[in-house]
Amino acid sequence: MVDHAFDGLHVALIMDGNGRWAQARGWPRLAGHRAGAETVRRVVEAAPGLGIGTLTLYAFSSDNWKRPQDEISGLFRLFARYMRQEAAKLKKQGVRFEVIGRRDRLPGPLVSLIEETERATSECGKLRLRVAVDYSSRDAIIRAVEAGARDRASISASLGPDVDLLVRTSGEQRLSDFLLWENAYAEFAFTDAAWPDFTAAGLRDMIEDFRRRDRRFGAVAPARLQALR
Ligand code: FPP
């Protein structure tokens, strides 16, 4: 697949806390996921204006198969509804939609819908929206190597762009097998807000803070070198 040049940051989002958000209100966990889908819509809409070129969302990890069957099928229904309701809008907004992760264990109709949405938006170049479904970063790395990738450049090309900013909501501070290779030099940002309460303004603040950080990628900052001379 041709890797379009999407200008802007690569922001990766671990959308955590839907279940706790719902349970705190005495609602079923799925109500939290439904509210979370609204946050997805708002964040995707705001992303290009925040300087984001690629947005990767962690929607369903390969370990999430351990959840109750009704929560899993509810999540798949939500993904399908999102694609059905948003495809035309995504195309109009210039959003190229992609799903990363395994497809062979997903329900057939969901896979067809994913393929249809990817096809419909394949020419879009303003924002690359990647949704991770049945995703495990360890497995993705193994698959890349098994497919013949042997060096940094080819493994990166097979996986996707490096992450600039990794965000996790809901007070948790771990990677949970998400973009392990791509996060090698990512900056991290955490918030106590549950995903349904997360806002585009919150993301804007994180990006502003990110832009003030000194990313050295292992080197010494030029100003410090100057001072040492
Ligand atoms: C983590 O919260 C969230 C998920 C496993 C699902 C994320 C899915 C959505 C936001 C729904 C819509 C997505 C798209 C792409 C339309 P959790 O359930 O683990 O929360 P908890 O830690 O409070 O239990």
mmCIF file of all heavy atoms in Angstrom, residues 105-129:
data_model
loop_
_atom_site.group_PDB
_atom_site.id
_atom_site.type_symbol
_atom_site.label_atom_id
_atom_site.label_comp_id
_atom_site.label_asym_id
_atom_site.label_seq_id
_atom_site.Cartn_x
_atom_site.Cartn_y
_atom_site.Cartn_z
ATOM 1 N N ARG A 105 -10.284 -12.973 12.756
ATOM 2 C CA ARG A 105 -11.154 -13.419 13.854
ATOM 3 C C ARG A 105 -12.379 -12.522 14.007
ATOM 4 O O ARG A 105 -13.186 -12.709 14.913
ATOM 5 C CB ARG A 105 -10.361 -13.441 15.169
ATOM 6 C CG ARG A 105 -9.186 -14.411 15.113
ATOM 7 C CD ARG A 105 -8.525 -14.588 16.449
ATOM 8 N NE ARG A 105 -7.769 -13.418 16.883
ATOM 9 C CZ ARG A 105 -6.868 -13.436 17.859
ATOM 10 N NH1 ARG A 105 -6.620 -14.572 18.498
ATOM 11 N NH2 ARG A 105 -6.213 -12.349 18.208
ATOM 12 N N LEU A 106 -12.484 -11.489 13.147
ATOM 13 C CA LEU A 106 -13.619 -10.554 13.240
ATOM 14 C C LEU A 106 -14.808 -11.114 12.457
ATOM 15 O O LEU A 106 -14.621 -11.864 11.497
ATOM 16 C CB LEU A 106 -13.236 -9.190 12.667
ATOM 17 C CG LEU A 106 -12.067 -8.466 13.340
ATOM 18 C CD1 LEU A 106 -11.780 -7.134 12.628
ATOM 19 C CD2 LEU A 106 -12.346 -8.217 14.819
ATOM 20 N N PRO A 107 -16.047 -10.724 12.832
ATOM 21 C CA PRO A 107 -17.207 -11.183 12.066
ATOM 22 C C PRO A 107 -17.122 -10.721 10.607
ATOM 23 O O PRO A 107 -16.716 -9.582 10.338
ATOM 24 C CB PRO A 107 -18.389 -10.498 12.769
ATOM 25 C CG PRO A 107 -17.874 -10.002 14.079
ATOM 26 C CD PRO A 107 -16.393 -9.855 13.971
ATOM 27 N N GLY A 108 -17.503 -11.601 9.688
ATOM 28 C CA GLY A 108 -17.408 -11.313 8.250
ATOM 29 C C GLY A 108 -18.038 -9.988 7.848
ATOM 30 O O GLY A 108 -17.422 -9.187 7.124
ATOM 31 N N PRO A 109 -19.282 -9.688 8.274
ATOM 32 C CA PRO A 109 -19.912 -8.431 7.858
ATOM 33 C C PRO A 109 -19.130 -7.201 8.339
ATOM 34 O O PRO A 109 -19.086 -6.183 7.645
ATOM 35 C CB PRO A 109 -21.298 -8.487 8.525
ATOM 36 C CG PRO A 109 -21.547 -9.942 8.781
ATOM 37 C CD PRO A 109 -20.201 -10.551 9.042
ATOM 38 N N LEU A 110 -18.491 -7.312 9.519
ATOM 39 C CA LEU A 110 -17.689 -6.188 10.017
ATOM 40 C C LEU A 110 -16.461 -5.990 9.118
ATOM 41 O O LEU A 110 -16.120 -4.847 8.760
ATOM 42 C CB LEU A 110 -17.262 -6.443 11.469
ATOM 43 C CG LEU A 110 -16.485 -5.315 12.153
ATOM 44 C CD1 LEU A 110 -17.339 -4.044 12.270
ATOM 45 C CD2 LEU A 110 -15.983 -5.723 13.537
ATOM 46 N N VAL A 111 -15.850 -7.079 8.716
ATOM 47 C CA VAL A 111 -14.677 -6.991 7.832
ATOM 48 C C VAL A 111 -15.087 -6.362 6.495
ATOM 49 O O VAL A 111 -14.391 -5.484 5.968
ATOM 50 C CB VAL A 111 -14.035 -8.385 7.619
ATOM 51 C CG1 VAL A 111 -12.887 -8.306 6.611
ATOM 52 C CG2 VAL A 111 -13.534 -8.955 8.942
ATOM 53 N N SER A 112 -16.246 -6.771 5.972
ATOM 54 C CA SER A 112 -16.696 -6.191 4.690
ATOM 55 C C SER A 112 -16.892 -4.689 4.827
ATOM 56 O O SER A 112 -16.529 -3.916 3.933
ATOM 57 C CB SER A 112 -18.021 -6.814 4.242
ATOM 58 O OG SER A 112 -17.869 -8.192 4.153
ATOM 59 N N LEU A 113 -17.484 -4.274 5.940
ATOM 60 C CA LEU A 113 -17.728 -2.853 6.173
ATOM 61 C C LEU A 113 -16.406 -2.077 6.305
ATOM 62 O O LEU A 113 -16.266 -0.957 5.799
ATOM 63 C CB LEU A 113 -18.573 -2.712 7.442
ATOM 64 C CG LEU A 113 -19.297 -1.406 7.694
ATOM 65 C CD1 LEU A 113 -20.134 -0.981 6.497
ATOM 66 C CD2 LEU A 113 -20.201 -1.562 8.933
ATOM 67 N N ILE A 114 -15.450 -2.696 6.974
ATOM 68 C CA ILE A 114 -14.116 -2.072 7.110
ATOM 69 C C ILE A 114 -13.519 -1.872 5.717
ATOM 70 O O ILE A 114 -13.045 -0.782 5.376
ATOM 71 C CB ILE A 114 -13.175 -2.957 7.977
ATOM 72 C CG1 ILE A 114 -13.617 -2.943 9.444
ATOM 73 C CG2 ILE A 114 -11.723 -2.497 7.844
ATOM 74 C CD1 ILE A 114 -12.905 -3.974 10.328
ATOM 75 N N GLU A 115 -13.582 -2.921 4.903
ATOM 76 C CA GLU A 115 -12.979 -2.838 3.566
ATOM 77 C C GLU A 115 -13.675 -1.769 2.718
ATOM 78 O O GLU A 115 -13.029 -1.007 2.003
ATOM 79 C CB GLU A 115 -13.051 -4.203 2.875
ATOM 80 C CG GLU A 115 -12.104 -5.207 3.514
ATOM 81 C CD GLU A 115 -12.312 -6.647 3.030
ATOM 82 O OE1 GLU A 115 -13.318 -6.915 2.319
ATOM 83 O OE2 GLU A 115 -11.484 -7.495 3.385
ATOM 84 N N GLU A 116 -15.002 -1.728 2.846
ATOM 85 C CA GLU A 116 -15.789 -0.739 2.090
ATOM 86 C C GLU A 116 -15.409 0.685 2.510
ATOM 87 O O GLU A 116 -15.205 1.565 1.669
ATOM 88 C CB GLU A 116 -17.258 -0.971 2.458
ATOM 89 C CG GLU A 116 -18.286 -0.722 1.400
ATOM 90 C CD GLU A 116 -19.636 -1.107 1.982
ATOM 91 O OE1 GLU A 116 -19.921 -2.309 2.114
ATOM 92 O OE2 GLU A 116 -20.379 -0.179 2.354
ATOM 93 N N THR A 117 -15.284 0.906 3.820
ATOM 94 C CA THR A 117 -14.967 2.249 4.328
ATOM 95 C C THR A 117 -13.543 2.633 3.937
ATOM 96 O O THR A 117 -13.287 3.778 3.570
ATOM 97 C CB THR A 117 -15.143 2.295 5.864
ATOM 98 O OG1 THR A 117 -16.399 1.696 6.188
ATOM 99 C CG2 THR A 117 -15.124 3.713 6.393
ATOM 100 N N GLU A 118 -12.643 1.664 3.988
ATOM 101 C CA GLU A 118 -11.258 1.947 3.580
ATOM 102 C C GLU A 118 -11.210 2.325 2.096
ATOM 103 O O GLU A 118 -10.521 3.263 1.718
ATOM 104 C CB GLU A 118 -10.367 0.720 3.849
ATOM 105 C CG GLU A 118 -10.092 0.521 5.327
ATOM 106 C CD GLU A 118 -9.229 -0.697 5.626
ATOM 107 O OE1 GLU A 118 -9.230 -1.653 4.821
ATOM 108 O OE2 GLU A 118 -8.567 -0.701 6.673
ATOM 109 N N ARG A 119 -11.975 1.564 1.287
ATOM 110 C CA ARG A 119 -11.992 1.839 -0.159
ATOM 111 C C ARG A 119 -12.562 3.229 -0.427
ATOM 112 O O ARG A 119 -12.018 4.012 -1.185
ATOM 113 C CB ARG A 119 -12.845 0.790 -0.871
ATOM 114 C CG ARG A 119 -12.076 -0.009 -1.889
ATOM 115 C CD ARG A 119 -12.913 -0.927 -2.754
ATOM 116 N NE ARG A 119 -14.195 -1.332 -2.226
ATOM 117 C CZ ARG A 119 -14.427 -2.472 -1.564
ATOM 118 N NH1 ARG A 119 -13.441 -3.292 -1.299
ATOM 119 N NH2 ARG A 119 -15.650 -2.772 -1.146
ATOM 120 N N ALA A 120 -13.675 3.531 0.247
ATOM 121 C CA ALA A 120 -14.382 4.795 -0.003
ATOM 122 C C ALA A 120 -13.537 6.005 0.351
ATOM 123 O O ALA A 120 -13.722 7.084 -0.206
ATOM 124 C CB ALA A 120 -15.685 4.820 0.780
ATOM 125 N N THR A 121 -12.602 5.837 1.295
ATOM 126 C CA THR A 121 -11.831 6.998 1.763
ATOM 127 C C THR A 121 -10.358 6.920 1.339
ATOM 128 O O THR A 121 -9.541 7.727 1.801
ATOM 129 C CB THR A 121 -11.903 7.109 3.305
ATOM 130 O OG1 THR A 121 -11.364 5.913 3.879
ATOM 131 C CG2 THR A 121 -13.318 7.305 3.803
ATOM 132 N N SER A 122 -10.030 5.969 0.453
ATOM 133 C CA SER A 122 -8.615 5.692 0.168
ATOM 134 C C SER A 122 -7.888 6.857 -0.503
ATOM 135 O O SER A 122 -6.666 6.940 -0.459
ATOM 136 C CB SER A 122 -8.474 4.425 -0.675
ATOM 137 O OG SER A 122 -9.106 4.641 -1.913
ATOM 138 N N GLU A 123 -8.638 7.740 -1.142
ATOM 139 C CA GLU A 123 -7.986 8.869 -1.830
ATOM 140 C C GLU A 123 -7.834 10.088 -0.928
ATOM 141 O O GLU A 123 -7.296 11.107 -1.342
ATOM 142 C CB GLU A 123 -8.803 9.270 -3.072
ATOM 143 C CG GLU A 123 -8.973 8.169 -4.114
ATOM 144 C CD GLU A 123 -7.638 7.686 -4.663
ATOM 145 O OE1 GLU A 123 -6.776 8.547 -4.929
ATOM 146 O OE2 GLU A 123 -7.449 6.464 -4.793
ATOM 147 N N CYS A 124 -8.361 10.021 0.273
ATOM 148 C CA CYS A 124 -8.349 11.196 1.159
ATOM 149 C C CYS A 124 -6.942 11.425 1.715
ATOM 150 O O CYS A 124 -6.225 10.464 2.009
ATOM 151 C CB CYS A 124 -9.326 10.990 2.311
ATOM 152 S SG CYS A 124 -11.032 10.875 1.734
ATOM 153 N N GLY A 125 -6.568 12.700 1.876
ATOM 154 C CA GLY A 125 -5.190 12.962 2.271
ATOM 155 C C GLY A 125 -5.020 13.989 3.378
ATOM 156 O O GLY A 125 -3.912 14.447 3.629
ATOM 157 N N LYS A 126 -6.101 14.354 4.060
ATOM 158 C CA LYS A 126 -5.967 15.398 5.077
ATOM 159 C C LYS A 126 -5.603 14.797 6.431
ATOM 160 O O LYS A 126 -4.765 15.329 7.161
ATOM 161 C CB LYS A 126 -7.285 16.161 5.174
ATOM 162 C CG LYS A 126 -7.177 17.451 5.934
ATOM 163 C CD LYS A 126 -8.346 18.339 5.610
ATOM 164 C CE LYS A 126 -8.375 19.538 6.528
ATOM 165 N NZ LYS A 126 -9.678 20.175 6.519
ATOM 166 N N LEU A 127 -6.250 13.723 6.777
ATOM 167 C CA LEU A 127 -5.988 13.046 8.050
ATOM 168 C C LEU A 127 -6.023 11.551 7.802
ATOM 169 O O LEU A 127 -6.912 11.040 7.114
ATOM 170 C CB LEU A 127 -7.068 13.417 9.083
ATOM 171 C CG LEU A 127 -7.005 12.664 10.418
ATOM 172 C CD1 LEU A 127 -5.821 13.140 11.264
ATOM 173 C CD2 LEU A 127 -8.302 12.855 11.228
ATOM 174 N N ARG A 128 -5.022 10.870 8.375
ATOM 175 C CA ARG A 128 -5.021 9.411 8.298
ATOM 176 C C ARG A 128 -5.526 8.901 9.640
ATOM 177 O O ARG A 128 -4.862 9.074 10.664
ATOM 178 C CB ARG A 128 -3.594 8.943 8.026
ATOM 179 C CG ARG A 128 -3.442 7.465 7.850
ATOM 180 C CD ARG A 128 -1.976 7.152 7.538
ATOM 181 N NE ARG A 128 -1.768 5.728 7.335
ATOM 182 C CZ ARG A 128 -0.577 5.167 7.183
ATOM 183 N NH1 ARG A 128 0.510 5.922 7.207
ATOM 184 N NH2 ARG A 128 -0.463 3.864 7.004
ATOM 185 N N LEU A 129 -6.694 8.309 9.622
ATOM 186 C CA LEU A 129 -7.308 7.789 10.855
ATOM 187 C C LEU A 129 -7.131 6.280 10.874
ATOM 188 O O LEU A 129 -7.651 5.572 10.005
ATOM 189 C CB LEU A 129 -8.804 8.148 10.883
ATOM 190 C CG LEU A 129 -9.631 7.504 11.996
ATOM 191 C CD1 LEU A 129 -9.154 7.952 13.381
ATOM 192 C CD2 LEU A 129 -11.121 7.842 11.830
#
